[in-house]
Coordinates of all heavy atoms in Angstrom, one line a residue:
M1 N 8.0 8.8 -29.5 CA 7.4 8.1 -30.6 C 8.1 6.7 -30.7 O 9.3 6.6 -30.6 CB 7.7 8.8 -31.9 CG 7.2 8.1 -33.2 SD 7.6 8.8 -34.7 CE 6.6 10.3 -34.7
Y2 N 7.4 5.7 -31.0 CA 7.9 4.3 -31.1 C 7.2 3.6 -32.3 O 6.2 4.0 -32.7 CB 7.9 3.5 -29.8 CG 6.5 3.1 -29.4 CD1 5.9 1.9 -29.9 CD2 5.7 3.9 -28.6 CE1 4.7 1.5 -29.5 CE2 4.4 3.5 -28.2 CZ 3.9 2.3 -28.7 OH 2.7 1.9 -28.3
A3 N 7.8 2.5 -32.7 CA 7.3 1.7 -33.7 C 7.5 0.2 -33.4 O 8.5 -0.1 -32.7 CB 7.9 2.0 -35.1
I4 N 6.7 -0.7 -33.9 CA 6.9 -2.1 -33.7 C 7.3 -2.7 -35.1 O 6.5 -2.5 -36.0 CB 5.6 -2.8 -33.1 CG1 5.4 -2.2 -31.8 CG2 5.8 -4.3 -33.1 CD1 4.1 -2.7 -31.1
V5 N 8.5 -3.3 -35.2 CA 8.9 -3.8 -36.4 C 9.1 -5.3 -36.3 O 9.3 -5.8 -35.2 CB 10.3 -3.2 -36.9 CG1 10.1 -1.7 -37.1 CG2 11.3 -3.4 -35.8
K6 N 9.1 -6.0 -37.4 CA 9.3 -7.4 -37.4 C 10.5 -7.8 -38.3 O 10.6 -7.4 -39.4 CB 8.0 -8.1 -38.0 CG 8.0 -9.6 -38.0 CD 6.7 -10.1 -38.6 CE 6.7 -11.6 -38.6 NZ 5.5 -12.2 -39.2
T7 N 11.4 -8.5 -37.7 CA 12.6 -9.0 -38.4 C 13.1 -10.2 -37.7 O 13.0 -10.4 -36.5 CB 13.7 -7.9 -38.4 OG1 14.8 -8.4 -39.1 CG2 14.1 -7.5 -37.0
G8 N 13.6 -11.2 -38.5 CA 14.2 -12.4 -37.9 C 13.1 -13.3 -37.3 O 13.4 -14.0 -36.4
G9 N 11.8 -13.2 -37.7 CA 10.8 -13.9 -37.1 C 10.3 -13.4 -35.7 O 9.5 -14.1 -35.0
K10 N 10.8 -12.3 -35.3 CA 10.4 -11.7 -34.0 C 10.0 -10.3 -34.2 O 10.3 -9.6 -35.2 CB 11.6 -11.8 -33.0 CG 12.0 -13.2 -32.7 CD 13.2 -13.2 -31.7 CE 13.6 -14.6 -31.5 NZ 14.7 -14.6 -30.5
Q11 N 9.2 -9.8 -33.2 CA 8.8 -8.4 -33.2 C 9.5 -7.6 -32.1 O 9.8 -8.1 -31.1 CB 7.3 -8.3 -33.0 CG 6.5 -9.0 -34.0 CD 5.0 -8.9 -33.7 OE1 4.6 -8.4 -32.7 NE2 4.2 -9.6 -34.5
Y12 N 9.9 -6.4 -32.5 CA 10.7 -5.5 -31.6 C 10.0 -4.1 -31.5 O 9.5 -3.6 -32.5 CB 12.1 -5.3 -32.1 CG 12.9 -6.6 -32.2 CD1 13.0 -7.3 -33.4 CD2 13.6 -7.1 -31.1 CE1 13.7 -8.5 -33.5 CE2 14.3 -8.2 -31.2 CZ 14.4 -9.0 -32.4 OH 15.1 -10.1 -32.5
K13 N 10.0 -3.6 -30.3 CA 9.5 -2.2 -30.1 C 10.7 -1.3 -30.1 O 11.6 -1.5 -29.3 CB 8.7 -2.1 -28.8 CG 8.2 -0.8 -28.5 CD 7.5 -0.7 -27.1 CE 7.1 0.7 -26.8 NZ 6.4 0.7 -25.4
V14 N 10.8 -0.4 -31.0 CA 11.9 0.5 -31.2 C 11.5 2.0 -31.1 O 10.4 2.3 -31.5 CB 12.7 0.2 -32.5 CG1 13.3 -1.1 -32.5 CG2 11.8 0.4 -33.7
A15 N 12.4 2.8 -30.6 CA 12.2 4.2 -30.6 C 13.5 4.9 -31.0 O 14.5 4.2 -31.3 CB 11.9 4.7 -29.2
E16 N 13.5 6.2 -31.2 CA 14.7 6.9 -31.7 C 15.8 6.7 -30.6 O 15.6 6.9 -29.4 CB 14.4 8.3 -31.9 CG 13.6 8.6 -33.1 CD 13.4 10.1 -33.4 OE1 14.4 10.8 -33.2 OE2 12.3 10.5 -33.6
G17 N 17.0 6.4 -31.1 CA 18.2 6.2 -30.2 C 18.3 4.9 -29.5 O 19.2 4.7 -28.7
D18 N 17.4 3.9 -29.7 CA 17.5 2.6 -29.1 C 18.5 1.8 -29.7 O 18.8 1.8 -30.9 CB 16.1 1.9 -29.2 CG 15.1 2.4 -28.3 OD1 15.4 3.2 -27.4 OD2 14.0 1.9 -28.3
V19 N 19.2 0.9 -28.9 CA 20.1 -0.1 -29.4 C 19.5 -1.4 -29.1 O 19.2 -1.7 -27.9 CB 21.5 0.1 -28.7 CG1 22.4 -1.1 -29.2 CG2 22.1 1.4 -29.0
I20 N 19.2 -2.2 -30.1 CA 18.6 -3.5 -29.9 C 19.4 -4.6 -30.5 O 20.2 -4.4 -31.4 CB 17.2 -3.6 -30.5 CG1 17.2 -3.3 -32.0 CG2 16.2 -2.6 -29.8 CD1 15.9 -3.5 -32.7
E21 N 19.3 -5.8 -30.0 CA 20.0 -7.0 -30.5 C 19.0 -7.8 -31.4 O 18.0 -8.2 -31.0 CB 20.5 -7.9 -29.4 CG 21.6 -7.2 -28.6 CD 22.2 -8.2 -27.6 OE1 21.9 -9.4 -27.6 OE2 22.9 -7.7 -26.7
I22 N 19.4 -8.0 -32.7 CA 18.6 -8.7 -33.7 C 19.4 -9.9 -34.1 O 20.6 -9.8 -34.4 CB 18.2 -7.8 -34.8 CG1 17.4 -6.6 -34.3 CG2 17.5 -8.6 -35.9 CD1 17.0 -5.6 -35.4
E23 N 18.8 -11.0 -34.3 CA 19.5 -12.2 -34.7 C 19.7 -12.2 -36.2 O 18.8 -11.8 -37.0 CB 18.6 -13.5 -34.3 CG 18.5 -13.7 -32.9 CD 17.7 -14.9 -32.6 OE1 17.2 -15.6 -33.5 OE2 17.5 -15.2 -31.4
K24 N 20.9 -12.7 -36.6 CA 21.2 -13.0 -38.0 C 20.9 -11.8 -39.0 O 20.2 -12.0 -39.9 CB 20.5 -14.2 -38.5 CG 20.9 -15.4 -37.6 CD 20.2 -16.7 -38.1 CE 20.5 -17.9 -37.3 NZ 19.7 -19.0 -37.7
L25 N 21.4 -10.6 -38.7 CA 21.2 -9.5 -39.6 C 22.5 -9.3 -40.4 O 23.6 -9.3 -39.9 CB 21.0 -8.2 -38.7 CG 20.6 -7.0 -39.5 CD1 19.2 -7.2 -40.1 CD2 20.5 -5.8 -38.5
E26 N 22.3 -9.3 -41.7 CA 23.5 -9.2 -42.6 C 23.9 -7.7 -42.7 O 23.1 -6.8 -42.6 CB 23.1 -9.7 -44.0 CG 22.8 -11.2 -44.0 CD 22.5 -11.7 -45.4 OE1 22.7 -10.9 -46.4 OE2 22.1 -12.9 -45.5
G27 N 25.2 -7.5 -43.0 CA 25.8 -6.2 -43.2 C 27.0 -6.1 -42.3 O 27.1 -6.6 -41.3
E28 N 27.9 -5.2 -42.8 CA 29.1 -5.0 -42.1 C 28.8 -3.9 -41.0 O 27.9 -3.1 -41.1 CB 30.2 -4.4 -43.0 CG 30.7 -5.4 -44.1 CD 31.3 -6.6 -43.5 OE1 32.1 -6.5 -42.5 OE2 31.1 -7.7 -44.0
P29 N 29.6 -3.9 -39.9 CA 29.5 -2.9 -38.9 C 29.6 -1.5 -39.5 O 30.6 -1.2 -40.2 CB 30.6 -3.2 -37.8 CG 30.8 -4.6 -38.0 CD 30.6 -4.9 -39.5
G30 N 28.7 -0.6 -39.1 CA 28.7 0.8 -39.7 C 27.8 0.9 -40.9 O 27.5 2.0 -41.3
A31 N 27.3 -0.2 -41.4 CA 26.4 -0.1 -42.6 C 25.0 0.2 -42.1 O 24.6 -0.2 -41.0 CB 26.4 -1.4 -43.3
G32 N 24.2 0.9 -43.0 CA 22.9 1.2 -42.7 C 21.9 0.0 -43.0 O 22.2 -0.8 -43.8
V33 N 20.8 -0.1 -42.3 CA 19.9 -1.2 -42.5 C 18.5 -0.6 -42.4 O 18.2 0.4 -41.6 CB 20.0 -2.3 -41.5 CG1 19.8 -1.8 -40.1 CG2 19.2 -3.5 -41.8
T34 N 17.6 -1.0 -43.3 CA 16.2 -0.6 -43.3 C 15.3 -1.7 -43.0 O 15.4 -2.8 -43.6 CB 15.8 0.1 -44.6 OG1 16.8 1.1 -44.9 CG2 14.5 0.6 -44.6
L35 N 14.3 -1.5 -42.0 CA 13.4 -2.5 -41.7 C 12.0 -2.1 -42.1 O 11.4 -1.2 -41.5 CB 13.4 -2.7 -40.1 CG 14.7 -3.0 -39.5 CD1 14.6 -3.0 -38.0 CD2 15.2 -4.4 -40.0
P36 N 11.5 -2.6 -43.2 CA 10.3 -2.1 -43.8 C 9.0 -2.7 -43.2 O 7.9 -2.1 -43.3 CB 10.3 -2.6 -45.3 CG 11.1 -3.9 -45.2 CD 12.1 -3.7 -44.1
A37 N 9.0 -3.8 -42.5 CA 7.8 -4.4 -42.0 C 7.3 -3.8 -40.7 O 7.6 -4.3 -39.6 CB 8.0 -5.9 -41.8
V38 N 6.7 -2.7 -40.8 CA 6.2 -1.9 -39.6 C 4.8 -2.4 -39.3 O 4.0 -2.5 -40.1 CB 6.3 -0.4 -39.8 CG1 5.8 0.3 -38.6 CG2 7.7 0.0 -40.1
L39 N 4.6 -2.7 -38.0 CA 3.2 -3.2 -37.6 C 2.4 -2.1 -36.9 O 1.2 -2.2 -36.9 CB 3.4 -4.4 -36.7 CG 4.1 -5.6 -37.3 CD1 4.3 -6.7 -36.3 CD2 3.4 -6.1 -38.5
L40 N 3.1 -1.1 -36.3 CA 2.4 -0.1 -35.5 C 3.4 1.1 -35.4 O 4.6 0.9 -35.2 CB 2.1 -0.6 -34.1 CG 1.5 0.4 -33.2 CD1 0.0 0.4 -33.3 CD2 1.9 0.1 -31.8
V41 N 2.8 2.3 -35.5 CA 3.6 3.5 -35.3 C 2.9 4.4 -34.3 O 1.7 4.7 -34.5 CB 3.9 4.3 -36.6 CG1 4.6 5.6 -36.3 CG2 4.7 3.5 -37.6
D42 N 3.5 4.8 -33.2 CA 2.9 5.7 -32.2 C 3.5 7.0 -32.3 O 4.7 7.2 -32.3 CB 3.1 5.1 -30.8 CG 2.4 5.9 -29.8 OD1 1.3 6.4 -30.0 OD2 3.0 6.1 -28.7
G43 N 2.7 8.0 -32.4 CA 3.1 9.4 -32.4 C 2.0 10.3 -31.9 O 1.4 10.0 -30.9
P44 N 1.7 11.4 -32.6 CA 0.5 12.2 -32.1 C -0.8 11.3 -32.2 O -1.7 11.5 -31.4 CB 0.4 13.3 -33.2 CG 1.8 13.4 -33.7 CD 2.4 12.0 -33.6
K45 N -0.8 10.4 -33.1 CA -1.9 9.4 -33.1 C -1.4 8.1 -33.5 O -0.3 7.9 -34.2 CB -3.0 9.8 -34.1 CG -2.6 9.8 -35.5 CD -3.8 10.1 -36.4 CE -3.5 9.9 -37.8 NZ -4.7 9.9 -38.7
I46 N -2.0 7.0 -33.1 CA -1.5 5.6 -33.4 C -1.9 5.2 -34.8 O -3.1 5.4 -35.1 CB -2.1 4.6 -32.3 CG1 -1.5 4.9 -31.0 CG2 -1.7 3.2 -32.7 CD1 -2.1 4.1 -29.9
T47 N -1.0 4.7 -35.5 CA -1.2 4.3 -36.9 C -1.1 2.8 -37.0 O -0.1 2.2 -36.7 CB -0.2 5.0 -37.9 OG1 -0.2 6.4 -37.7 CG2 -0.5 4.7 -39.3
T48 N -2.2 2.2 -37.5 CA -2.2 0.7 -37.7 C -2.7 0.3 -39.1 O -2.8 -0.8 -39.4 CB -3.1 0.0 -36.7 OG1 -4.4 0.5 -36.7 CG2 -2.5 0.2 -35.3
E49 N -3.1 1.3 -39.9 CA -3.7 1.0 -41.3 C -2.6 0.5 -42.2 O -1.5 1.0 -42.2 CB -4.3 2.3 -41.9 CG -5.4 2.9 -41.0 CD -5.9 4.2 -41.6 OE1 -5.3 4.7 -42.6 OE2 -6.8 4.8 -40.9
V50 N -2.9 -0.5 -43.0 CA -1.9 -1.2 -43.8 C -1.4 -0.2 -44.9 O -0.2 -0.2 -45.2 CB -2.5 -2.4 -44.5 CG1 -1.5 -3.1 -45.4 CG2 -2.9 -3.4 -43.4
A51 N -2.3 0.6 -45.5 CA -1.9 1.5 -46.6 C -0.9 2.6 -46.1 O 0.1 2.9 -46.7 CB -3.1 2.1 -47.2
T52 N -1.2 3.1 -44.9 CA -0.3 4.1 -44.3 C 1.0 3.5 -43.8 O 2.1 4.1 -44.0 CB -1.0 4.8 -43.1 OG1 -2.3 5.2 -43.5 CG2 -0.2 5.9 -42.6
L53 N 1.0 2.3 -43.3 CA 2.2 1.7 -42.8 C 3.1 1.2 -43.9 O 4.3 1.0 -43.7 CB 1.9 0.5 -41.9 CG 1.2 0.8 -40.5 CD1 0.9 -0.4 -39.8 CD2 2.1 1.7 -39.7
A54 N 2.6 1.0 -45.1 CA 3.5 0.6 -46.2 C 4.4 1.7 -46.6 O 5.5 1.4 -47.2 CB 2.6 0.2 -47.4
K55 N 4.1 2.9 -46.3 CA 5.0 4.0 -46.6 C 6.1 4.3 -45.5 O 7.0 5.0 -45.8 CB 4.2 5.3 -46.8 CG 3.1 5.2 -47.9 CD 2.2 6.4 -47.8 CE 1.0 6.2 -48.8 NZ 0.1 7.4 -48.7
V56 N 5.9 3.7 -44.4 CA 6.8 4.0 -43.3 C 7.9 2.9 -43.2 O 7.7 1.7 -43.4 CB 6.0 3.9 -41.9 CG1 6.9 4.1 -40.7 CG2 4.9 4.9 -41.9
T57 N 9.1 3.4 -43.0 CA 10.3 2.5 -42.8 C 11.0 2.9 -41.5 O 11.0 4.1 -41.2 CB 11.2 2.5 -44.0 OG1 11.7 3.8 -44.2 CG2 10.5 2.0 -45.2
V58 N 11.7 2.0 -40.9 CA 12.6 2.2 -39.8 C 14.0 2.0 -40.2 O 14.3 0.9 -40.8 CB 12.2 1.3 -38.6 CG1 13.2 1.5 -37.5 CG2 10.8 1.6 -38.2
S59 N 14.9 3.0 -40.1 CA 16.3 2.8 -40.5 C 17.2 2.8 -39.3 O 16.9 3.4 -38.2 CB 16.7 3.9 -41.5 OG 16.6 5.2 -40.8
G60 N 18.3 2.1 -39.4 CA 19.3 2.0 -38.3 C 20.6 1.7 -38.8 O 20.9 1.8 -40.0
E61 N 21.5 1.4 -37.9 CA 22.9 1.1 -38.3 C 23.4 -0.2 -37.5 O 23.0 -0.4 -36.4 CB 23.8 2.3 -37.8 CG 25.3 2.1 -38.1 CD 26.0 3.3 -37.6 OE1 25.5 4.3 -37.3 OE2 27.3 3.1 -37.4
V62 N 24.2 -1.0 -38.2 CA 24.7 -2.2 -37.6 C 25.9 -1.8 -36.8 O 26.9 -1.2 -37.3 CB 25.2 -3.2 -38.7 CG1 25.9 -4.4 -38.1 CG2 24.0 -3.6 -39.6
V63 N 25.8 -2.0 -35.5 CA 26.9 -1.6 -34.6 C 28.0 -2.7 -34.5 O 29.2 -2.4 -34.7 CB 26.3 -1.4 -33.2 CG1 27.4 -1.0 -32.2 CG2 25.3 -0.3 -33.2
A64 N 27.6 -4.0 -34.3 CA 28.6 -5.0 -34.2 C 27.9 -6.4 -34.4 O 26.7 -6.5 -34.2 CB 29.3 -5.0 -32.9
H65 N 28.7 -7.4 -34.7 CA 28.2 -8.8 -34.8 C 28.7 -9.5 -33.6 O 29.9 -9.6 -33.4 CB 28.6 -9.5 -36.1 CG 28.0 -8.9 -37.3 ND1 26.7 -9.0 -37.6 CD2 28.6 -8.2 -38.3 CE1 26.4 -8.4 -38.8 NE2 27.6 -7.9 -39.2
T66 N 27.8 -10.0 -32.7 CA 28.2 -10.7 -31.5 C 27.5 -12.1 -31.4 O 26.7 -12.4 -32.2 CB 27.9 -9.9 -30.3 OG1 26.5 -9.7 -30.2 CG2 28.6 -8.5 -30.3
K67 N 27.9 -12.8 -30.4 CA 27.2 -14.1 -30.2 C 26.6 -14.0 -28.8 O 27.0 -13.3 -27.9 CB 28.2 -15.2 -30.1 CG 28.7 -15.7 -31.5 CD 29.6 -16.9 -31.4 CE 30.0 -17.5 -32.7 NZ 30.7 -18.7 -32.6
G68 N 25.5 -14.7 -28.6 CA 24.7 -14.7 -27.4 C 25.5 -15.6 -26.3 O 26.5 -16.1 -26.6
P69 N 24.8 -15.7 -25.2 CA 25.4 -16.5 -24.1 C 25.5 -18.0 -24.5 O 24.7 -18.5 -25.3 CB 24.5 -16.3 -22.9 CG 23.2 -15.9 -23.5 CD 23.6 -15.2 -24.8
K70 N 26.4 -18.8 -23.9 CA 26.5 -20.2 -24.1 C 25.3 -20.9 -23.4 O 25.0 -20.7 -22.3 CB 27.8 -20.7 -23.5 CG 28.1 -22.1 -23.6 CD 28.7 -22.4 -24.9 CE 29.2 -23.9 -24.9 NZ 30.0 -24.1 -26.1
I71 N 24.7 -21.8 -24.2 CA 23.6 -22.6 -23.7 C 24.0 -24.0 -23.7 O 24.5 -24.5 -24.7 CB 22.3 -22.4 -24.6 CG1 21.8 -21.0 -24.6 CG2 21.2 -23.4 -24.1 CD1 20.7 -20.7 -25.6
V72 N 23.9 -24.7 -22.5 CA 24.4 -26.0 -22.4 C 23.1 -26.9 -22.5 O 22.2 -26.8 -21.7 CB 25.1 -26.2 -21.0 CG1 25.5 -27.7 -20.8 CG2 26.3 -25.3 -20.9
I73 N 23.2 -27.9 -23.4 CA 22.2 -28.9 -23.6 C 22.7 -30.2 -23.1 O 23.7 -30.7 -23.5 CB 21.8 -29.0 -25.1 CG1 21.4 -27.6 -25.6 CG2 20.7 -30.0 -25.3 CD1 21.4 -27.5 -27.1
H74 N 22.0 -30.8 -22.1 CA 22.4 -32.1 -21.6 C 21.2 -33.1 -21.6 O 20.2 -32.8 -20.9 CB 22.9 -31.9 -20.2 CG 23.6 -33.1 -19.6 ND1 23.8 -33.4 -18.3 CD2 24.2 -34.1 -20.3 CE1 24.4 -34.5 -18.2 NE2 24.7 -35.0 -19.3
K75 N 21.3 -34.1 -22.4 CA 20.3 -35.1 -22.5 C 20.8 -36.4 -21.8 O 21.9 -36.8 -22.0 CB 19.9 -35.4 -23.9 CG 19.4 -34.2 -24.7 CD 19.1 -34.6 -26.1 CE 18.5 -33.4 -26.8 NZ 18.2 -33.7 -28.3
L76 N 19.9 -37.0 -21.0 CA 20.2 -38.2 -20.2 C 19.1 -39.2 -20.3 O 17.9 -38.9 -20.2 CB 20.4 -37.8 -18.7 CG 20.6 -38.9 -17.7 CD1 22.0 -39.5 -17.9 CD2 20.4 -38.4 -16.3
K77 N 19.5 -40.4 -20.6 CA 18.5 -41.5 -20.6 C 18.7 -42.3 -19.3 O 19.8 -42.7 -18.9 CB 18.7 -42.4 -21.8 CG 18.4 -41.8 -23.1 CD 18.2 -42.8 -24.2 CE 17.8 -42.0 -25.4 NZ 17.5 -42.9 -26.5
N78 N 17.6 -42.4 -18.6 CA 17.6 -43.0 -17.2 C 18.0 -44.4 -17.2 O 17.6 -45.2 -18.1 CB 16.2 -42.8 -16.6 CG 16.2 -43.0 -15.1 OD1 17.3 -43.0 -14.5 ND2 15.0 -43.1 -14.5
K79 N 18.8 -44.8 -16.3 CA 19.3 -46.2 -16.0 C 20.1 -46.9 -17.1 O 20.3 -48.1 -17.0 CB 18.0 -47.1 -15.6 CG 17.2 -46.6 -14.4 CD 16.0 -47.4 -14.2 CE 15.2 -46.9 -13.1 NZ 14.0 -47.6 -12.9
T80 N 20.5 -46.2 -18.1 CA 21.3 -46.8 -19.1 C 22.7 -46.2 -19.2 O 23.6 -46.8 -19.9 CB 20.6 -46.6 -20.5 OG1 20.5 -45.2 -20.8 CG2 19.3 -47.2 -20.5
G81 N 23.0 -45.1 -18.6 CA 24.3 -44.5 -18.6 C 24.5 -43.7 -19.9 O 25.7 -43.3 -20.2
V82 N 23.5 -43.5 -20.7 CA 23.6 -42.8 -21.9 C 23.3 -41.3 -21.7 O 22.3 -41.0 -21.1 CB 22.6 -43.3 -23.0 CG1 22.7 -42.5 -24.2 CG2 22.9 -44.8 -23.3
H83 N 24.3 -40.5 -22.0 CA 24.1 -39.0 -21.9 C 24.8 -38.3 -23.0 O 25.8 -38.8 -23.6 CB 24.5 -38.5 -20.5 CG 25.9 -38.7 -20.2 ND1 26.9 -37.7 -20.6 CD2 26.6 -39.7 -19.6 CE1 28.1 -38.1 -20.2 NE2 27.9 -39.3 -19.6
K84 N 24.3 -37.2 -23.4 CA 24.9 -36.4 -24.5 C 24.9 -35.0 -24.0 O 23.9 -34.4 -23.5 CB 23.9 -36.5 -25.7 CG 24.4 -35.7 -26.9 CD 23.4 -35.9 -28.1 CE 23.9 -35.0 -29.2 NZ 22.9 -35.1 -30.4
R85 N 26.1 -34.3 -24.2 CA 26.2 -32.9 -23.8 C 26.6 -32.2 -25.0 O 27.4 -32.5 -25.8 CB 27.4 -32.9 -22.8 CG 27.5 -31.5 -22.2 CD 28.4 -31.5 -21.0 NE 28.5 -30.2 -20.4 CZ 29.6 -29.5 -20.2 NH1 30.7 -30.1 -20.5 NH2 29.5 -28.3 -19.7
Q86 N 25.9 -31.0 -25.2 CA 26.1 -30.2 -26.4 C 26.0 -28.7 -26.0 O 25.2 -28.4 -25.1 CB 25.0 -30.6 -27.4 CG 25.0 -29.8 -28.7 CD 23.9 -30.2 -29.6 OE1 23.1 -31.1 -29.3 NE2 23.8 -29.5 -30.7
G87 N 26.7 -27.9 -26.7 CA 26.7 -26.4 -26.4 C 26.2 -25.7 -27.6 O 26.3 -26.2 -28.8
H88 N 25.7 -24.5 -27.4 CA 25.2 -23.7 -28.6 C 25.3 -22.2 -28.2 O 25.1 -21.8 -27.1 CB 23.7 -24.0 -28.8 CG 23.1 -23.2 -29.9 ND1 23.4 -23.4 -31.3 CD2 22.3 -22.2 -29.9 CE1 22.8 -22.5 -32.0 NE2 22.0 -21.7 -31.2
R89 N 25.7 -21.4 -29.2 CA 25.7 -19.9 -29.1 C 25.1 -19.3 -30.3 O 25.6 -19.5 -31.4 CB 27.2 -19.4 -29.0 CG 27.8 -19.7 -27.6 CD 29.2 -19.1 -27.5 NE 29.0 -17.7 -27.3 CZ 30.1 -16.8 -27.2 NH1 31.3 -17.3 -27.4 NH2 29.8 -15.6 -27.0
Q90 N 24.0 -18.6 -30.1 CA 23.2 -18.0 -31.2 C 24.0 -16.8 -31.7 O 24.5 -16.0 -30.9 CB 21.8 -17.6 -30.7 CG 20.9 -17.1 -31.8 CD 20.5 -18.2 -32.7 OE1 20.3 -19.3 -32.4 NE2 20.2 -17.8 -33.9
R91 N 24.1 -16.6 -33.0 CA 24.7 -15.4 -33.6 C 23.8 -14.2 -33.5 O 22.6 -14.3 -33.6 CB 25.1 -15.7 -35.1 CG 26.1 -16.7 -35.2 CD 26.5 -16.9 -36.7 NE 27.4 -18.0 -36.9 CZ 28.7 -18.0 -36.6 NH1 29.2 -17.0 -36.2 NH2 29.4 -19.1 -36.8

């Protein structure tokens, strides 16, 4: 059985026992979290009706807060010697 939930502006396909990385989720490690915006539930039959999905929630636990990989941004203007280097790590 799996469900498709929406959080942080993205959609995730989750099943029981899955560990997923979600951006900018509040809560301390070990705290429970509920994701109410379910878009699809697959089980004995697929459920996509809005009235039925309003009753369904997906619950989980915050494991840890980490940062993503380092992304290097390098902008260069041709023939002028102007360049800008910047780094970013998504939480």
Side-chain angles (χ1 to χ4, degrees):
M1 178 186 291
Y2 70 89
I4 297 178
V5 297
K6 184 176 179 182
T7 180
K10 297 181 181 180
Q11 296 177 4
Y12 299 93
K13 179 180 176 182
V14 294
E16 289 186 42
D18 282 355
V19 177
I20 59 172
E21 291 184 10
I22 298 175
E23 295 179 0
K24 301 179 183 177
L25 188 64
E26 295 182 8
E28 296 297 321
V33 64
T34 303
L35 305 173
V38 177
L39 303 175
L40 173 93
V41 175
D42 180 39
K45 65 175 192 168
I46 295 177
T47 306
T48 58
E49 299 173 4
V50 177
T52 308
L53 292 176
K55 301 173 188 174
V56 178
T57 59
V58 175
S59 60
E61 178 183 344
V62 177
V63 177
H65 293 290
T66 60
K67 286 187 174 182
K70 180 85 170 191
I71 297 172
V72 177
I73 303 159
H74 191 203
K75 296 180 180 178
L76 174 71
K77 292 197 175 185
N78 197 13
K79 300 178 183 175
T80 60
V82 175
H83 62 90
K84 178 181 177 183
R85 186 168 183 236
Q86 180 180 358
H88 176 74
R89 288 185 74 184
Q90 186 71 29
R91 294 186 189 278

